[in-house]
Amino acid sequence: MSARTGDAMNMQQMIFKPGRTESAGPWVVDAAILAGLIGLVGLVGWLALSAPQTVSGPEISLSLSSLPWYAAYSVARMFAAYVLSMLFSMFYGSLAARSRFGEVFMLPVLDVLQSVPILSFLPVVLLGFTAVLPENLAVELASVVLIFTSQAWNITFAWYQSQVTMPKELKEASANFRFNPWLRFRTLDLPFAGVSLIWNSIMSWAGGWFFLMAAEIFTVGHRDFRLPGIGSYLQEAASQGNVRAILWGLGVLVLVIVALDQLVWRPLLAWGERFKLTMVGSEEEPTSWVYDLLQGSNLLWAFHERVLVPAMEWIDMFIQNRVRPFDGRVEERAPLTWRSRLFMAVAGVFAVIVAAQALRLLGHLPSARWADIAVGLLATFLRVMAALAVAMLWTVPLGVAIGSNPRLASFLQPMVQIAASVPATAIFPVALMFLVGLTGGLNLAAVLLMLMGTQWYMLFNVIAGASTIPQDLKDTAVLLGLSRWTRWRTLVLPALFPYIITGAVTAGGGAWNASIVSEYVNFAGRNISTVGIGAIIAQATARGDYPLLLAGTMSMVVTVVLFNRLVWRRLYRLAEEKFRME
């Protein structure tokens, strides 16, 4: 092992709370793990042998024997989209946080991407894939892309937030140890963002389940692109009115969510405790029976020591020999280089060409429609702000309670995941039955649908922020005899501030997207709409009015980008300068 690699490991031991426990465990633990692996292999084999023939075609079987296979397909798509989201987030978020090019160009582009209503453009993406790829592969890729768009943005913003709010002394320590980019990423960037990434990963999976029905069923004109999965199973059961199949499908979905919580997320949260910035241990740390079981296994410990550790050392040496050595300076935002300026110039020329074509199309739009768009933007903006305000009112106190109390988290976290994963569009018709007859009923229903689809982004970010507050600061507040309000004002809210901003950015983008399905609905055989930019986009899509569709979509994107730039970006800068954990 090189001296620099050894320094990296020593630094990680000094900065972050160590999580290693006694490795010795009874032989029963090893036997249980081996039995679990054998059972997993057996389950995969059973699924492979019992796969129904209908899986390979567009027909979706509602038989119970198809459900395990469909669930496995859906989990595989979710996992592929999640891996793609993590790779994109770390690459894109790091560039955006460490260079003026990222701040000037990449963040606005990210604002545009997360505010574009992807459901409006997905048919174009799908048809583009089918033009160059085999149809089955094209449909699978389109499905993964849709799930990716529901997972990537909050992870990217969370990674960016961790990069810009990292304490300066940690950056100085990595500079003093002369870490190259790989060692800094592995020993500082990734551990510091660990807790936030875990909670946002949970939210990303919940958001992916939310979009699963749309991701597995595509209809473009008369072409029906369906994929086998639990989302398409539920959609088919709903279209046939098969209540029994709907209940079975929802039961399997809940079972998968609970299994992932117990087997993946709870162990990761317990393991992530070692990455908290704290001088003392928490009085109540997150627990996981799976994590305790794995830590007590001699078999896994031997695999870690004899396989994983040597493999990581080899990777460190391999990358170190190919990465330029660090010069020891504390990294700040890199200035704009000539390459960055050239890229921005080329992108600007491309944008001008696209804008010219768009203006030609917009020239066919009557001038009176622009007034309707302006009024619709204002109405939808007010609904989005109302949904965010309501979300903050209940998610901040509940998120702090869950993030500060592991016992409460172990009980409520699976329930929150299930609630966040239930498609709000499935509940919306029920709420509409009670609200449509009231004055302004669709206005209330639209705000409700925005709230149901976006409040979870806020909640999971608040939970992540509350769980990262150092225990020594909490103890100091208690010793000083601070009142509950004073503790919130001087400790809790300042610590949560960056996480609240991250949650608000992603929740706001989701609320704007939700306006398309909440402001224009088909109910009881008739179309019901209210004033809003979402209704304008939905009506233009239904009528094939492409100039109005382009004008409405671009107006929404410009509004979201301007608000993010003028409000959220300044609050991010405030969090970076004033509310970082020093």
Side-chain angles (χ1 to χ4, degrees):
M1 182 190 305
S2 70
R4 189 175 302 162
T5 305
D7 289 341
M9 294 184 176
N10 293 334
M11 177 186 173
Q12 192 173 15
Q13 295 282 338
M14 291 187 295
I15 295 178
F16 299 106
K17 178 184 174 182
R20 177 178 174 179
T21 60
E22 291 80 4
S23 62
W27 64 268
V28 178
V29 175
D30 295 328
I33 292 176
L34 287 175
L37 292 175
I38 294 172
L40 180 62
V41 173
L43 177 62
V44 172
W46 176 79
L47 288 174
L49 293 175
S50 62
Q53 295 297 321
T54 52
V55 168
S56 60
E59 295 298 326
I60 303 299
S61 172
L62 296 184
S63 65
L64 296 183
S65 61
S66 304
L67 263 177
W69 185 257
Y70 289 159
Y73 254 113
S74 295
V75 171
R77 293 188 190 101
M78 293 275 289
F79 180 74
Y82 175 70
V83 171
L84 184 61
S85 299
M86 290 293 291
L87 295 175
F88 170 84
S89 299
M90 292 180 181
F91 175 77
Y92 199 97
S94 297
L95 289 180
R98 298 177 185 176
S99 67
R100 282 287 298 165
F101 171 73
E103 185 180 23
V104 172
F105 181 79
M106 297 182 70
L107 286 180
V109 169
L110 189 62
D111 290 338
V112 172
L113 291 175
Q114 69 111 15
S115 62
V116 170
I118 187 63
L119 290 176
S120 300
F121 294 94
L122 193 64
V124 178
V125 174
L126 176 58
L127 293 177
F129 281 156
T130 56
V132 297
L133 296 171
E135 183 175 299
N136 291 338
L137 179 58
V139 177
E140 288 286 356
L141 285 178
S143 174
V144 171
V145 167
L146 178 58
I147 300 174
F148 163 82
T149 59
S150 68
Q151 292 181 340
W153 315 133
N154 61 301
I155 297 180
T156 304
F157 279 113
W159 180 261
Y160 171 81
Q161 171 241 313
S162 70
Q163 295 297 295
V164 300
T165 59
M166 184 181 295
K168 291 182 179 179
E169 59 264 26
L170 294 185
K171 297 180 180 179
E172 292 172 353
S174 66
N176 291 334
F177 280 106
R178 304 180 67 84
F179 287 175
N180 59 39
W182 163 250
L183 288 181
R184 167 170 167 158
F185 169 79
R186 192 170 74 82
T187 62
L188 179 59
D189 295 342
L190 194 58
F192 182 76
V195 176
S196 179
L197 284 180
I198 293 172
W199 280 108
N200 276 279
S201 297
I202 297 174
M203 179 63 245
S204 290
W205 275 74
W209 293 121
F210 183 90
F211 276 90
L212 195 62
M213 286 189 183
E216 292 180 347
I217 292 184
F218 302 103
T219 302
V220 182
H222 298 290
R223 303 178 67 181
D224 186 5
F225 301 100
R226 281 194 285 182
L227 292 169
I230 196 170
S232 57
Y233 180 94
L234 287 170
Q235 184 71 24
E236 181 67 20
S239 65
Q240 294 186 18
N242 191 330
V243 178
R244 178 172 174 269
I246 293 175
L247 293 178
W248 275 110
L250 289 176
V252 171
L253 177 61
V254 171
L255 182 64
V256 171
I257 294 171
V258 173
L260 287 173
D261 173 74
Q262 292 297 311
L263 300 178
V264 179
W265 303 125
R266 294 303 305 176
L268 281 177
L269 287 171
W271 173 74
E273 280 292 298
R274 69 181 65 189
F275 301 128
K276 286 185 177 181
L277 282 174
T278 181
M279 295 293 184
V280 297
S282 176
E283 295 178 358
E284 294 184 3
E285 297 183 352
T287 59
S288 167
W289 63 272
V290 174
Y291 183 66
D292 294 339
L293 181 69
L294 296 178
Q295 279 200 315
S297 170
N298 291 318
L299 184 66
L300 291 182
W301 184 256
F303 176 78
H304 174 269
E305 291 296 309
R306 298 179 183 179
V307 177
L308 291 184
V309 172
M312 287 305 302
E313 291 179 0
W314 182 87
I315 292 173
D316 288 343
M317 292 294 296
F318 180 82
I319 296 179
Q320 178 180 316
N321 293 333
R322 287 161 177 79
V323 176
R324 63 178 177 82
F326 190 59
D327 57 10
R329 294 178 298 177
V330 178
E331 181 179 328
E332 299 292 344
R333 276 198 173 97
L336 289 174
T337 62
W338 69 268
R339 293 185 182 88
S340 301
R341 297 179 188 276
L342 178 61
F343 181 84
M344 293 173 64
V346 173
V349 172
F350 178 76
V352 168
I353 295 174
V354 173
Q357 297 298 322
L359 287 175
R360 291 180 57 188
L361 184 60
L362 293 177
H364 300 285
L365 186 68
S367 57
R369 300 300 284 168
W370 288 106
D372 297 336
I373 290 174
V375 174
L377 279 172
L378 177 61
T380 302
F381 175 80
L382 293 177
R383 293 189 190 100
V384 170
M385 292 298 104
L388 286 180
V390 174
M392 285 186 185
L393 285 177
W394 78 269
T395 58
V396 171
L398 180 62
V400 171
I402 295 176
S404 304
N405 190 334
R407 290 185 181 178
L408 185 64
S410 64
F411 172 72
L412 287 181
Q413 181 188 324
M415 299 176 60
V416 169
Q417 285 188 63
I418 294 172
S421 304
V422 174
T425 50
I427 306 174
F428 188 53
V430 179
L432 203 58
M433 290 175 56
F434 296 96
L435 297 175
V436 72
L438 303 177
T439 302
L442 190 55
N443 276 313
L444 295 175
V447 174
L448 180 62
L449 182 60
M450 292 179 182
L451 182 63
M452 289 191 297
T454 60
Q455 59 193 350
W456 311 112
Y457 293 101
M458 185 74 68
L459 177 62
F460 280 97
N461 274 281
V462 172
I463 293 174
S467 63
T468 57
I469 299 177
Q471 184 63 37
D472 46 340
L473 294 184
K474 298 178 184 177
D475 295 339
T476 302
V478 173
L479 291 174
L480 292 175
L482 301 181
S483 65
R484 182 180 296 272
W485 165 242
T486 304
R487 270 183 282 176
W488 271 77
R489 182 172 57 85
T490 60
L491 175 60
V492 177
L493 290 179
L496 292 181
F497 186 78
Y499 297 88
I500 292 176
I501 300 304
T502 299
V505 171
T506 53
W512 281 98
N513 279 320
S515 68
I516 297 175
V517 294
S518 64
E519 295 176 349
Y520 182 84
V521 296
N522 184 282
F523 182 74
R526 60 193 178 98
N527 293 325
I528 304 175
S529 64
T530 186
V531 177
I533 192 65
I536 292 175
I537 293 175
Q539 290 172 349
T541 303
R543 298 170 185 169
D545 189 344
Y546 296 109
L548 182 59
L549 176 61
L550 177 62
T553 302
M554 291 299 99
S555 298
M556 176 190 288
V557 170
V558 170
T559 302
V560 174
V561 171
L562 285 177
F563 189 81
N564 287 355
R565 190 69 178 175
L566 298 177
V567 178
W568 299 132
R569 195 61 55 225
R570 295 184 179 184
L571 293 177
Y572 259 128
R573 191 171 293 112
L574 178 64
E576 178 183 358
E577 295 173 354
K578 188 174 181 180
F579 295 113
R580 71 167 78 221
M581 280 286 185
E582 298 291 5

